[in-house]
Amino acid sequence: MELKDLAPRLLLKERANGDIDPNVLTNILRGGKVANDRRKHLIQTIASHPVLSDRDMMFRNHTERYEFGLKKAFYYVKLLQEGNYSDEEDQKILYKALGEPLGVDVHRAMFIPTLENQGDESQRAKWLPLAKQYKILGAYAQTELGHGSNVQGIETVATFDKATQEFILDSPTLTSRKWWPGGLGKTANHAIVHARLTLDGKDVGVQAFLVQIRSMHDHMPLPGIKVGDIGPKVGFNAVDNGYCAFHKIRVPRENMLMRYAKVLSDGTFVKPQSDKLVYLTMVRIRAYLIETLATLMGAAATICTRFSAARIQGRTPDLKGEFQVLDYQNQQHKLFPLLAISYAAQFAGSSLKELHDSALDAIKKGEPRFGTKLAELHAVSSGLKAWIAEHVSDGIETCRRLCGGHGFTQSSNLSHIFAEIVGANTYEGTFDVLVQQHARYLLKTLALLPANENSTKFLSQVTRYSDSELRCDAETREDFDNLDLLLEAFQARAARIILMLASHMRAANNDGNACMVLMARASTSHAELILLESFIHGVRNIPSGREQQAVAQLCSLFGAWLITKSLGDFRQHDYLSSDQADLVRKQVVHLLPVIRKNCVLLTDAWDFSDFELNSTIGRYDGDIYRALVKRAADEPLNKTQVPEGYTKYLKPLIQSDL
Amino acid sequence: MELKDLAPRLLLKERANGDIDPNVLTNILRGGKVANDRRKHLIQTIASHPVLSDRDMMFRNHTERYEFGLKKAFYYVKLLQEGNYSDEEDQKILYKALGEPLGVDVHRAMFIPTLENQGDESQRAKWLPLAKQYKILGAYAQTELGHGSNVQGIETVATFDKATQEFILDSPTLTSRKWWPGGLGKTANHAIVHARLTLDGKDVGVQAFLVQIRSMHDHMPLPGIKVGDIGPKVGFNAVDNGYCAFHKIRVPRENMLMRYAKVLSDGTFVKPQSDKLVYLTMVRIRAYLIETLATLMGAAATICTRFSAARIQGRTPDLKGEFQVLDYQNQQHKLFPLLAISYAAQFAGSSLKELHDSALDAIKKGEPRFGTKLAELHAVSSGLKAWIAEHVSDGIETCRRLCGGHGFTQSSNLSHIFAEIVGANTYEGTFDVLVQQHARYLLKTLALLPANENSTKFLSQVTRYSDSELRCDAETREDFDNLDLLLEAFQARAARIILMLASHMRAANNDGNACMVLMARASTSHAELILLESFIHGVRNIPSGREQQAVAQLCSLFGAWLITKSLGDFRQHDYLSSDQADLVRKQVVHLLPVIRKNCVLLTDAWDFSDFELNSTIGRYDGDIYRALVKRAADEPLNKTQVPEGYTKYLKPLIQSDL
């Protein structure tokens, strides 16, 4: 049989060899059948739209992607308006189905929510309807050329002119120009600008101002404003991430966002009451980000698993046939833990969203203990975001490499998925910032035992866990199937590292930077514990049966694989013995063929359409070779037989008389 | 002081705080002063060329990069011809200085060398001069849509027509089309095509044929040939990686490359005598690749170190100032091991080149024991290539993330460096293929002890190393400064894993796939041992003094850091105790500020020009903010104040009456 016909059959064979119903798991991964059906309907709406279904971004440079993105943005807004899609979740699904963020990205995701959260009643009444109709297009201008994560360091200044009741905004230095904000370069006519406010010579801290930056009439930058695009980036190339410098421009007093801090007409500064809701907003953003990361890991694992099943390469030992790439132990060993990560992250993201929602409820009801709950959520979401962003982006790149040369082709879409998400390691807090926040929370909890919050309750047993005589109970490889035994190992490990961190911090006179490597270990060990806990919780919520069993196997692999990755931690004071360490490694290898049985169905369970995956090699039907040939035909260079530069640059060489 | 002026001063401060002379190390890293001066002269030649100095690739899509690449190729050939650059090393330096591979990449690096190595005398006489004058432009067409690393699986067929003394080449299936060869799509008019040859109905294996694919007159594909570009990729976007299908086309008998295998005019097949030289060619290619990887790791580490020194971010605990990013322990912990990898890989690459050259000498002199030497070189180069390709590409991406948002900008050049080298994980053998070759060699050596080759001599002590009572001697943190103590730890670890692999292979009836995860561990453990050995050897070749000491500290970090990465291995049977493991971790953290003292100078030692690095944030003078602003001004979107799509797509939204 020809290879091109064999490939689809091999994928069918994998599905036939499995024994689970992926629909059962789809409902769990995708928030129930109703939500999933709605999601698929919305995606189909984009897939059948003459403009919005465009997937030719790989042929475009930054300028072209931006310009085509404007077209997409226009039709997206038209679609929302004409289809009456007012539900926020619907809008989000439709937008994500566009396959790349656009110039209106930050307008949607940051500008409108910031007006909603930080504008007072009259500001909301004035600006929100305009913003929601895309009549004013906004950017969120916080980051500057010289300062990113340290918001307190920003250099843009605002002063209040009582006489005219205006703020004067100014960029006093080169590095004070706003730098990076999405949509700021070419799209936005307004921006929420963060500047350090001075009132009667007194610094009252960084405040947010709504600033018109371009004319509503002809879109030209307003006088005193220099604005432009910062150039091509790793990802987001349809977005005009921009720069902006202000030369003593004036905005009315009413343009400072005044829900919390206020400046009265006589120049009096009214301090904000509480910034706790800001933390809750950060938790919500991270919970959504974690869900996005989980889904993209699922997408990459789906593409890679299907390709690995459909692709044959390398002779079998009897030389009579060829292995499916999926047959290789190393392929399984690299791929299946990533599939496990997609499930673990999805479960953790859902939990976080639930916790966020219940915290929001508690605030609204004015319940006590809200502060400690919020601190926990903020810390845990920090640690999880740091871990998941790193492991998912690395995992997507691993999937790409596991697909060999065909993974290297843009039409596999794996490098596009990578490029669009790898920035998550940087935005919303870099690894180093987040793990410190997380670790400091863990130290605080340790200092105030007993711990009351779910995620740190194990610390109450710290004396037991820190006993260097404590040993893991496992005697056989099979003992590591026991999820509770795994969990205890992760608790012991986390407790020991946190305790060690506390002692190092004391020795270093609380100098965090001197203990930062250890802080990262503490955060990682706790994040992995939370992930394993969420995974186990997720498994136990699946109706019992083969599907539950298959996911439980994935969970076992996740735990055992993580142990092998950080074996030194688990072997500390011989909590795991040398022989037990060998058993864990054995367990990982043992689980690979077990999981292989259902691996294609476990990725099918994510229920991605071919349109969403947009991958020649990740097609549901496995018809990868025809897809590769067909997609190559779209390359603009193939429009002519002879390249444009031939006459000028090749012919003189070929036909030279040298 | 303004940040933009502070940044250069901070970098100066780092240089002033160091106490080594980077020139001493430059001579070692760059093969001596004469070679380095020549290198710099050649790079300056490119940097001052009106066309070849182009560095605007980030603004171009694949089609544009290819077309501009033709222009570069033309001027590159002109430069070689007019400047009489006939030395191979000179040509290589000039070509690399172009900053991206072009459509003539494979012509240079594979087509010409293959003619040289596999063409017989008359073939060389006929084709080489034409190829070297770029009158015939060649591709190397081995890989097919359906088959990559398994060359034996290729489907293109050749049959011999005795009557006409011609070979008939045919692509019988969709998947038999050639797929991936660089330059094949649009540039090449000839290709070396690998096809399975049948003589009188008998399969005589895969042979190589020189096939004209395009007209020398007008560059149109010849009849029976379908050829085109496969579309955008992660990297190499100035290259026209192509596809090609043959419909029963004919080439004369003289076009089979006949230095080894031959087909006589009566259709008799003459078998090749030895393919050992082919292995040696692979070793040579890998040695050069390892050197390239080392250099790129050096480039990324240079950019990241300079940025980390010049950038401040995050308040110091006293809130009075801001940390340099380089102050952060985590930044040092992630960055310095990568700097160490660049040195280790460079030393290992040089050793490999020397070993290759002496093996070539040995062959020429007909010395005995050549076979075993060759086997060692092939195995070691496999394992090293697998390890270094993975760690360097991951390391470059880590450097990019360590530069935060500015690393995400294309003008940092880090993602370009990554994109152009990450394919090294795939070409010249994927990780999984290579580690198996390496591991099988180690098993063979173990079975035939005593070991005679340098790299495996330690296996002769396998009994000692496998003694589960054997313990590491270290008692204090300082003991891990002892490079021989480190080396012994790596030997013990490698010996134990190889021994375990042997026992698993016996238990698995020699089924390699059942032991592949362990094979990867064996290969990794041996590759790390070789790297550490090469590093130590490199250190000992540096004239004694501060420079030697600084590199020795980097070497200590390399060893200790690798131990912490695979602590489970080193703790097996408690070769390292739990307390010793803590000492190693302590040693890593201890070395960070020690290395920081000279870290900028250690990267300066690589002696990259700003033109080579092509990085706004990696400039030698630390003037990063002005560079970022200047480079953003080049973005084509900034040519107009209002984007092209405004009238059609933004204005209707902004000025709608909805």
Side-chain angles (χ1 to χ4, degrees), chain A residues 127-158:
Chain A
W127 292 319
L128 268 178
L130 294 169
K132 289 192 172 175
Q133 287 163 29
Y134 289 75
K135 288 165 84 88
I136 63 175
L137 298 172
Y140 185 86
Q142 179 181 300
T143 306
E144 297 178 353
L145 182 56
H147 281 93
S149 48
N150 178 16
V151 179
Q152 292 312 312
I154 68 173
E155 301 175 271
T156 305
V157 289

Side-chain angles (χ1 to χ4, degrees), chain A residues 539-558:
Chain A
V539 167
R540 287 175 183 162
N541 276 344
I542 300 172
S544 68
R546 285 182 189 145
E547 292 76 21
Q548 190 194 39
Q549 200 193 342
V551 181
Q553 287 157 350
L554 209 53
C555 182
S556 291
L557 178 72
F558 183 68

